[in-house]
Structure formats: C-alpha cells, structure tokens
Amino acid sequence: MQSSLQAGLHVGIIMDGNGRWATARGLPRALGHKAGIAAIRRVVEAAPDQGIGTLTLYAFSSDNWRRPQDEVTALMGLLRRYLREEAARLAKAGVRLTVIGRRDRLPGGIAEAIGRAEAVTVAGTALHLRIAIDYSARAAILAAAAALPDSRTPSATEFGHRVSGGPVPDVDLVIRTSGEQRLSDFLLWESAYAELHFTQTHWPDFDAGDLAAALRSFAGRQRRFGGLTVPAEAA
Ligand code: IPE
Ligand code: IPE
Ligand code: MG
C-alpha cells in the first residue's frame, strides 16, 4: 500500500456538525462555522506530534453550494480569512498547505488566497495539510479519467496520482464528527482501504484529545488489505 511508504499516516476528516453545535447553543449557524475554524487550528497543531504526515480536511463540498446563500457567503468569508491569516503561521510551523477541489467557482479573492498560501508554505515538511474546498470525489475521479492521455489502462497508482493531484498516500483513517456515518463524496478513490472512525462530537468541540482517541482506535484495527494476515509494511 502506498501509505506505508510515506512518513506518517494520512488522516482525512469530514468536519461535520458546525450547524448543530450552533443551534444547540441558540446561535446562528455561521457562528458554528467560525468555531469550526478554531478547531481546524487546534487539530493542525496537534497532528504532526500524533504521527500524521498528511491531513485532508473536508471544508466545503461541491454539494454545499445548495445551502442558503447567506450561509455559503459566511463559509467562503471564513475560508478566505483562514487562508490569508494562516499561511505565514503554517509556513513557520513547517506545514505545507495545498487545496483540492475546483477553484473556478470560488467567490472573489479565494483562488488568489489559495495560490498565495500554497506558495508561501511550499517548503513545509512537518505536515502536508490538504483542505478540500468545492470538492467532490466523484468529480475528481471523472476529471482524472477524462484527462487520460491514451486508451491504455493506467495502473491504480498512476491513476490515483491523477485523482489526488499528485503522489498523495492512500488514506489510512477517515474521521467523521457529529454522528453521521457516511462519506458524502469525500476521497472515494483514496479511501479504498481506509479505516473509518465516527464520533458524536460536533466539529467545533473536536480537539487534540479527540484526535488521539481516534488514532488509538485506529491503532487497534487489523488491516488485512484483502489477505489473511496483516502485511508487515502496513503494521
Ligand atoms: C460542517 O458542518 C461544515 C460544512 C459542511 C460546510 P455542517 O454545516 O454540515 O453542520 P450540520 O451538519 O448542519 O450540523
Ligand atoms: C459533508 O458534510 C461536507 C463537509 C463536511 C464539508 P455535509 O453536512 O454537507 O454532508 P451531508 O449532507 O450530511 O451528507
Ligand atoms: Mg453537516
């Protein structure tokens, strides 16, 4: 498996429950999303020390455009601000940031902020942080298939690089907060053998301890990759 060749685990997080967190407190949903940004900061800071080499965070799905305009505007504003404010801090911490998903539908200034944040953090080696914005796993797979140069069937590794936008390891663990137990079009190709961890905790409450608990649960799993024993390189 690709993942075992990379330094550190690839963890994907479906950051769900911002709205329910806010509603439970009598707050507007936008404040739940704001608290969700603080949780991102906590988890990114904790990740390298917990053995994570690649962290992919699902921030906005291509289906999230279906939400009310004011909520979309609030989310985009928060993401723009995060990208602008966080780039220098991430670079200082040795975190490389890349953004996956479509950029051509993002409102003013976000595509530019992504480009700048990616450029400023390009040398980071402590953690590869990937943020999924206007992301759809099915769309990523379709785009990779449409861009194949010839009719030769590619290897899964080669095709996977096209789907992921580079040599990204397979996902080892997908975490979803807030109780739902579904993937909602997140990293479908890359998660073929991912372990799944679901927690009731709403994303704004998620912290380093919750991340550690998910990784402890992961460490107790037996990954067999279709065989009968645990492959040595994946142990
Ligand atoms: C996750 O929280 C953030 C996004 C999907 C953008 P939600 O906004 O989905 O929160 P719930 O699921 O409504 O509680
Ligand atoms: C998935 O959450 C997308 C993100 C966390 C960004 P949703 O809240 O949009 O997913 P569904 O609609 O409950 O499946
Ligand atoms: Mg949700």
Side-chain angles (χ1 to χ4, degrees), residues 92-222:
K92 212 169 153 200
V95 177
R96 175 158 74 102
L97 172 71
T98 56
V99 173
I100 57 172
R102 283 181 64 167
R103 296 190 189 181
D104 58 311
R105 302 190 290 197
L106 300 175
I110 299 189
E112 294 74 14
I114 291 171
R116 266 196 302 275
E118 288 182 337
V120 168
T121 62
V122 71
T125 55
L127 174 72
H128 183 189
L129 171 64
R130 305 193 321 147
I131 301 187
I133 303 175
D134 194 0
Y135 176 82
S136 155
R138 283 180 164 182
I141 294 166
L142 284 170
L148 283 174
D150 52 45
S151 56
R152 177 182 56 91
T153 303
S155 71
T157 302
E158 181 192 340
F159 188 69
H161 291 177
R162 290 174 176 276
V163 170
S164 306
V168 174
D170 282 350
V171 176
D172 296 296
L173 172 66
V174 172
I175 298 169
R176 183 167 186 148
T177 57
S178 209
E180 312 297 352
Q181 302 191 2
R182 55 177 171 257
L183 293 174
S184 302
D185 204 10
F186 182 57
L187 301 180
L188 299 182
W189 176 277
E190 299 90 329
S191 297
Y193 274 97
E195 300 293 329
L196 308 177
H197 179 84
F198 301 105
T199 170
Q200 295 297 326
T201 304
H202 298 312
W203 176 249
D205 287 330
F206 197 87
D207 63 15
D210 296 303
L211 184 63
L215 290 164
R216 269 198 305 279
S217 157
F218 171 81
R221 312 279 180 95
Q222 248 203 12

Side-chain angles (χ1 to χ4, degrees), residues 14-16 58-61 64 67 176 180 182 184:
I14 301 171
M15 307 184 291
D16 200 15
Y58 204 5
F60 190 90
S61 79
N64 288 147
R67 297 197 178 189
R176 183 167 186 148
E180 312 297 352
R182 55 177 171 257
S184 302

Side-chain angles (χ1 to χ4, degrees), residues 15-20 29 33 59 64 67 71 75:
M15 307 184 291
D16 200 15
N18 293 349
R20 279 165 278 175
R29 290 176 59 87
H33 297 311
N64 288 147
R67 297 197 178 189
E71 178 161 347
L75 273 162

